[in-house]
């Protein structure tokens, strides 16, 4: 079994910052990519950011470019999302996502989600 444990959400005022973390653990695996999606009430889950584990190339949704930064710690199999200049429209449940290879099979895994609320 593989587990993704995401954390770091909370309540913050407009313009504030939060840092999310997500750690992958369990069976022996290789990480291909890790990233974040979010889902606001009544909306579909949407892509936020992703980082390639080898090389570190990053990708961002246009809505968060320049405000959010994704980073990783390979030794800890952990990905971070530094969120600055938060806006009320960033309010959502944020889900960690990882593409992991286990015994030559590549699969996607999800964290349990962490709530981010930005008050105006």
């Amino acid at each position: 079994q593989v587990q993704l444990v995401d954390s770091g959400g909370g309540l913050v005022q407009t313009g504030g910052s939060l840092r999310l973390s997500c750690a992958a653990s369990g069976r022996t695996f290789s990480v291909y990519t890790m990233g974040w999606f979010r889902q606001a009430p009544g909306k579909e889950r949407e892509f936020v950011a992703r980082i390639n584990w080898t090389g570190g190339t990053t990708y961002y949704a246009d809505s968060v470019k320049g405000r959010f930064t994704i980073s990783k710690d390979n030794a800890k199999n952990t990905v971070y999302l530094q969120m600055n200049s938060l806006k009320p429209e960033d309010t959502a449940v944020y889900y960690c996502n990882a593409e992991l290879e286990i015994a030559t099979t590549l699969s996607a895994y999800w964290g349990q989600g962490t709530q981010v609320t930005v008050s105006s």
Side-chain angles (χ1 to χ4, degrees):
Q1 281 285 27
V2 173
Q3 279 192 320
L4 296 184
V5 179
D6 42 30
S7 62
L11 174 64
V12 65
Q13 291 186 333
T14 296
S17 298
L18 285 173
R19 189 192 194 209
L20 306 184
S21 300
C22 173
S25 63
R27 296 179 59 184
T28 301
F29 55 82
S30 297
V31 181
Y32 269 53
T33 70
M34 290 186 76
W36 297 91
F37 286 70
R38 67 187 181 186
Q39 188 166 18
K43 295 187 177 182
E44 294 187 354
R45 191 172 297 189
E46 64 175 5
F47 167 77
V48 175
R50 176 167 298 281
I51 187 165
N52 289 346
W53 221 243
T54 302
T57 303
T58 58
Y59 306 87
Y60 296 95
D62 288 343
S63 59
V64 307
K65 280 181 182 176
R67 300 188 298 122
F68 291 10
T69 302
I70 190 169
S71 60
K72 61 183 176 71
D73 184 329
N74 288 45
K76 296 181 179 179
N77 288 323
T78 298
V79 66
Y80 306 97
L81 187 68
Q82 178 66 44
M83 305 186 295
N84 298 329
S85 302
L86 283 162
K87 305 175 182 180
E89 51 264 43
D90 294 318
T91 295
V93 178
Y94 283 70
Y95 295 92
C96 176
N97 171 265
E99 294 178 320
L100 307 178
E101 184 183 44
I102 300 174
T104 73
T105 299
L106 185 64
S107 303
Y109 295 85
W110 293 92
Q112 80 281 7
T114 184
Q115 176 71 46
V116 171
T117 302
V118 185
S119 64
S120 57

